[in-house]
Amino acid sequence: MFLPEADRYSTSKRQLESRIATLFGGRIAEELVFGADAVTTGASNDIERATELARNMVHALGSFRSLRSADLQ
């Protein structure tokens, strides 16, 4: 039996990595369209959310074992 997206309580590492990639998509699109010198601050919230998600993956989930938690502080 498959659950609807809203009923999921767990998320796979692949899904989390996909969310991070999606969050960076807007920033990358701006750079491609407008050039590196004309990127706006519009994607700053997306980058903050991606950073928070990546930190949570490292701290809470232990996803990236090659990094020590001291390296992230």
Side-chain angles (χ1 to χ4, degrees):
M1 181 171 114
F2 294 101
L3 295 175
E5 287 288 325
D7 291 342
R8 291 189 181 173
Y9 289 101
S10 60
T11 306
S12 71
K13 182 179 175 185
R14 178 177 284 178
Q15 289 170 318
L16 293 171
E17 290 172 344
S18 177
R19 285 185 191 168
I20 291 172
T22 301
L23 288 167
F24 275 103
R27 165 64 173 79
I28 294 167
E30 277 191 359
E31 187 171 334
L32 290 173
V33 172
F34 302 121
D37 295 334
V39 173
T40 69
T41 59
S44 64
N45 182 260
D46 290 345
I47 293 171
E48 288 175 12
R49 290 174 41 211
T51 301
E52 180 180 351
L53 182 54
R55 283 181 191 262
N56 288 339
M57 287 176 69
V58 172
H59 287 288
L61 307 174
S63 291
F64 298 98
R65 301 193 196 300
S66 62
L67 294 176
R68 299 176 311 177
S69 60
D71 293 336
L72 299 173
Q73 296 177 7

